[in-house]
Amino acid sequence: MIHHLRAAGTSLILDATGSGTPVIVHWGADLGALTPADLDALAAASVPPVGPSSIDVPLRLSLLPALAEGWSGRPALGGFRVGATAGSRVGLPDGSPAPSGTLDPALTLVAVHKRGDNTLAIELADAHASVTVTTDLELTVQGVLRLRHTVTNTASEAGAGTLELAGLDAILPVPDRAAEILDFTGLWSHERRPQRSTLGQGAWSRESRHGRPGHDDSYLTVAGTAGFGFRSGEVWAVHLAHSGDKRVWAERSALGYAVVGAGELLAPGELSLAAGASYTTPWTVAVYSAAGLDGLSARLHPWIRSWSTITGPRKVLLNTWEAVYFDHDLPTLSRLVDAAAQVGVERFVLDDGWFSGRTDDQRALGDWFVDTAKWPQGLHPLIERVHAAGLDFGLWVEPEMVNPDSDLARAHPDWLLGSASAPTWRGQRVLDLANPDAFAWLLERLTALLAEYPIAYLKWDHNRDLLGGSVHRQTAALYRLIDAVRAAQPGLEIESCASGGGRIDLGILERVDRVWTSDTNDPLERQQIQRYTSVLVPPEYLGGHLGAATAHTTWRTSALGFRLATALFGSAGIEWDLTRASAAELDQIAAWIAIYKERRALLHAGVIVHADASDPALELHGVVATDGASAVFAQVALAAPRTALPAPIRFPGLDRARRYRVRPLLVGPAPQTMQTVPPAWLAAGADELVLSGAVLADVGLPAPLLTPEQAALFTLDAV
Ligand code: DGJ
């Protein structure tokens, strides 16, 4: 049968009529309703010719491309079998040759199970190689394609031949016109730097070996038509929903095929499947859009929101890290609580420094007991103060880590992951979570803290690469640990942090309510980091904090208005010693928080949009309500513009037929401009402008002449 999955402008056509692995005939634009006869005709017509110096049959790209099919690109399944002996021990008739050596199964189709309208489970087997593979595949109503494979070693008897798995990946075809690749790299405090390349023949391959995705994570790999942007171009994107090591690639073969692929990066010998054992890959998330990167977000965000753990409005929080670092004491923090309450903060998060012996970042990780020197009565007096001020309380932890200088490491040197001779990182080592004793101890410590104190929120940090041990086992154990903590404390919110944005992926996102987007609070850096992180992850997850005027990461000084305008578009917070802020600054912050509270329902549920500006110094981004009734936009000057008069601001994503009232929205002091006369529509009294969505999108409005590192905000409300 030929299966046609359709949703939200996307089609996937799978030809399962043959005896082998089903062939992917099409993944891309919706092809409309096709009759069975249409599908037969399409599948038959898509069979390619046989070229010279080639295999003697047409090569059609299957769901699991393999050497045995004639595919000489990177195969979907790789491994080898060790220790097999002949005959029935591997489930074969007596006397038949035993499978051994390289695994290159010739899979045959056993069955395709339809689990729902757009959900298939495809069963494949190779009796001779003693493996089965099941592929789960779903095209969600939002147009997001997810797939994963499960391989089982079907040898019938223990010891009959272990399967050493080298890799099992999802591979999807992209058309010839997907000639340009966008993916991401980055550094600490500079995550999500976009990089573009042309996909020539060969593979553009990215690997993460950090034991976490890392600051340079490829994040989302997008293949698209030449010059694709936020609003234009056809794009095919893949992401692996996994927080451990991984590989993601795009490959154009000299045979004429192009693919994108993704899978967990397994170390040699890391995954041995004994007889009867299985391995299920993480989900690969794949999205097509004919409307550029914003089109990808328009599918990904509603899908993520359909399963998100976020239940209520994103509270404005104050995090103590850049305010006090390790200097914890009740009087200092009480003053900070009061200042936070005064401006309207709703959550107080006590960052690193609260636990036994933690005087700096070189010691005590692992000793998850409240430090009695700093907190003689425990955290109770602080939490009471926080509650009395009307806020809830959050606490920082870094459960996977341990300092050699800690009671835990001294008591349990056998709980450490990796080689003892490998370098420490920030003075720390990693706890082996796959060790049941270490796991149980951590679970006990975390749940004991949660039982003793009314903690609404954990900031769960992870500040080093693993550099050893089994990342596969560690990642699985981490997921189990988070799941167990959440189960023990229903309603608890968790923020994922990894030295900022080193662990942001859709595997962790299933388990957390917020991600710390980056350690930098510098708004200029943040504009870029938030812009690209939000292509995949909806803005309500992306922690963005108002920091001190001079950023602690770049030493750049920024205006309050620019800092406020930047932190508004995410899960907003403050990370600044408010006791040092002036009365005027506190007033501005309070007004900003009031605007955030008023608008967060829109900011956190709307559709994110970006203009493709001709001038890279000027960026327009915004959020439009899903019903098109309102929007908030920010025109951001990153640097000096190319022209004295920049191009008009054209507002994308509005309902073209509706009329909108456009008003400037002031957060903090007015943005600095260099203009003798402002644009007429922004001049005093001219803020009652009403124009149609079509006019605002196609003609636009003259931009104010912002000086570098300034942002002007606008609200648009349908009348
Ligand atoms: C790294 C995080 O990214 C920071 O926000 C802070 O929590 C520190 N760790 C604390 O050690």
Side-chain angles (χ1 to χ4, degrees):
M1 182 173 176
I2 300 174
H3 299 269
H4 186 189
L5 278 47
R6 292 177 65 205
T10 301
S11 276
L12 178 84
I13 297 179
L14 211 61
D15 181 353
T17 53
S19 58
T21 309
V23 166
I24 304 177
V25 176
H26 169 79
W27 168 46
D30 181 16
L31 300 180
L34 299 176
T35 64
D38 292 336
L39 290 170
D40 284 343
L42 167 62
S46 67
V47 176
V50 175
S53 186
S54 95
I55 55 169
D56 297 327
V57 290
L59 174 62
R60 301 177 75 202
L61 210 65
S62 80
L63 250 185
L64 288 133
L67 277 174
E69 296 171 344
W71 170 244
S72 49
R74 186 181 277 183
L77 174 59
F80 62 98
R81 192 179 280 282
V82 284
T85 51
S88 59
R89 298 193 65 190
V90 286
L92 296 172
D94 276 343
S96 41
S100 63
T102 303
L103 176 72
D104 182 30
L107 293 163
T108 55
L109 183 61
V110 177
V112 178
H113 305 281
K114 221 166 169 321
R115 307 268 194 235
D117 267 358
N118 275 341
T119 307
L120 303 175
I122 298 154
E123 270 185 65
L124 304 154
D126 179 345
H128 184 259
S130 291
V131 292
T132 61
V133 177
T134 301
T135 299
D136 295 304
L137 190 148
E138 179 191 11
L139 183 64
T140 72
V141 289
Q142 299 84 5
V144 174
L145 175 65
R146 325 197 280 160
L147 69 155
R148 68 176 182 189
H149 304 297
T150 300
V151 60
T152 302
N153 178 4
T154 54
S156 57
E157 208 181 305
T162 300
L163 201 57
E164 297 289 346
L165 207 61
L168 180 53
D169 303 308
I171 296 181
L172 289 163
V174 293
D176 178 56
R177 61 188 183 281
E180 201 166 300
I181 301 293
L182 165 73
D183 66 0
F184 299 91
T185 181
L187 310 170
W188 173 76
S189 273
H190 306 280
E191 296 87 342
R192 247 59 71 198
R193 283 185 172 159
Q195 53 180 5
R196 293 241 181 190
S197 46
T198 302
L199 185 61
Q201 290 185 5
W204 171 247
S205 182
R206 298 290 310 281
E207 295 183 345
S208 166
R209 297 175 186 275
H210 301 290
R212 56 180 184 176
H215 297 106
D216 62 346
D217 183 24
S218 62
Y219 192 59
L220 188 69
T221 301
V222 186
T225 47
F228 69 85
F230 274 97
R231 306 294 301 174
S232 69
E234 273 189 294
V235 281
W236 292 259
V238 285
H239 166 86
L240 190 75
H242 183 61
S243 311
D245 288 353
K246 59 185 167 177
R247 56 185 180 188
V248 184
W249 73 96
E251 181 172 20
R252 184 183 304 285
S253 141
L255 297 174
Y257 302 82
V259 297
V260 285
E264 184 176 3
L265 185 66
L266 299 168
E270 189 174 22
L271 236 157
S272 304
L273 297 179
S278 297
Y279 161 72
T280 298
T281 68
W283 287 102
T284 291
V285 174
V287 194
Y288 163 78
S289 157
L293 301 176
D294 281 355
L296 296 177
S297 308
R299 296 201 165 120
L300 286 160
H301 292 185
W303 171 62
I304 292 168
R305 286 169 177 160
S306 74
W307 49 258
S308 167
T309 57
I310 295 176
T311 49
R314 311 307 294 133
K315 294 191 173 182
V316 184
L317 61 80
L318 182 136
N319 178 293
T320 60
W321 180 239
E322 289 192 356
V324 299
Y325 291 103
F326 295 101
D327 295 336
H328 290 196
D329 64 71
L330 185 58
T332 304
L333 289 172
S334 297
R335 283 193 294 277
L336 201 52
V337 171
D338 294 345
Q342 187 194 328
V343 295
V345 166
E346 298 161 301
R347 171 169 289 161
F348 187 88
V349 180
L350 185 64
D351 209 281
D352 196 355
W354 58 268
F355 48 97
S356 202
R358 184 69 164 175
T359 46
D360 60 26
D361 66 6
Q362 296 298 307
R363 64 207 79 252
L365 280 177
D367 296 344
W368 302 112
F369 299 90
V370 176
D371 188 299
T372 48
K374 290 179 185 172
W375 302 104
Q377 296 166 69
L379 295 175
H380 292 293
L382 176 67
I383 298 179
E384 278 158 21
R385 185 77 177 234
V386 168
H387 285 174
L391 284 65
D392 71 20
F393 181 76
L395 191 65
W396 178 95
V397 288
E398 193 177 359
E400 296 141 90
M401 298 298 160
V402 59
N403 287 119
D405 183 2
S406 67
D407 292 343
L408 185 71
R410 282 183 284 271
H412 298 286
D414 52 318
W415 286 4
L416 305 193
L417 189 75
S419 153
S421 63
T424 53
W425 177 312
R426 207 192 188 210
Q428 55 196 64
R429 294 206 175 276
V430 185
L431 269 187
D432 181 1
L433 301 195
N435 177 323
D437 295 333
F439 184 97
W441 187 86
L442 268 183
L443 183 57
E444 186 282 326
R445 271 299 76 221
L446 292 169
T447 50
L449 282 164
L450 292 167
E452 182 175 359
Y453 296 106
I455 295 169
Y457 179 92
L458 284 182
K459 176 177 173 185
W460 189 301
D461 209 342
H462 182 281
N463 283 305
R464 61 160 286 171
D465 287 5
L466 297 195
L467 305 178
S470 167
V471 176
H472 172 77
R473 281 199 294 275
Q474 183 79 356
T475 309
L478 165 72
Y479 287 169
R480 283 201 308 278
L481 183 62
I482 299 179
D483 293 347
V485 169
R486 287 193 83 119
Q489 195 73 20
L492 175 76
E493 289 186 42
I494 298 182
E495 172 181 31
S496 167
C497 171
S499 319
R503 187 155 70 186
I504 303 181
D505 61 80
L506 296 184
I508 204 81
L509 218 67
E510 283 183 30
R511 301 173 164 82
V512 302
D513 312 276
R514 192 182 201 247
V515 292
W516 183 222
T517 319
S518 174
D519 267 358
T520 191
N521 294 316
D522 176 334
L524 192 62
E525 300 294 329
R526 274 295 185 137
Q527 282 291 337
Q528 295 310 300
I529 295 168
Q530 292 172 192
R531 179 181 181 83
Y532 290 108
T533 309
S534 65
V535 174
L536 174 66
V537 175
E540 61 270 27
Y541 280 96
L542 304 182
H545 292 176
L546 168 69
T550 300
H552 294 201
T553 47
T554 58
W555 251 244
R556 187 185 282 121
T557 298
S558 308
L560 180 61
F562 189 42
R563 281 142 60 211
L564 292 172
T566 304
L568 185 76
F569 288 87
S571 171
I574 298 173
E575 196 169 331
W576 177 18
D577 184 357
L578 287 183
T579 64
R580 292 167 190 263
S582 69
E585 285 173 328
L586 290 174
D587 286 348
Q588 306 273 18
I589 296 167
W592 167 73
I593 290 179
I595 288 171
Y596 174 81
K597 289 177 180 171
E598 207 176 282
R599 302 259 166 192
R600 64 186 156 190
L602 161 65
L603 292 168
H604 298 160
V607 181
I608 64 161
V609 293
H610 302 82
D612 286 310
S614 53
D615 185 344
L618 299 173
E619 290 182 346
L620 180 84
H621 69 92
V623 186
V624 182
T626 47
D627 64 1
S630 56
V632 181
F633 280 92
Q635 164 84 348
V636 182
L638 302 171
R642 278 183 182 165
T643 52
L645 295 184
I649 303 173
R650 299 195 292 132
F651 297 90
L654 300 171
D655 182 337
R656 294 177 66 81
R658 288 171 94 160
R659 294 166 60 75
Y660 292 87
R661 173 164 287 120
V662 188
R663 291 196 188 97
L665 174 68
L666 216 54
V667 293
Q672 187 64 48
T673 55
M674 192 65 103
Q675 53 196 8
T676 313
V677 179
W681 72 280
L682 277 172
D687 65 342
E688 287 301 307
L689 180 70
V690 176
L691 286 169
S692 74
V695 169
L696 290 165
D698 294 345
V699 182
L701 294 169
L705 305 184
L706 297 172
T707 60
E709 298 172 30
Q710 298 288 329
L713 268 48
F714 305 101
T715 59
L716 284 79
D717 294 294
V719 294

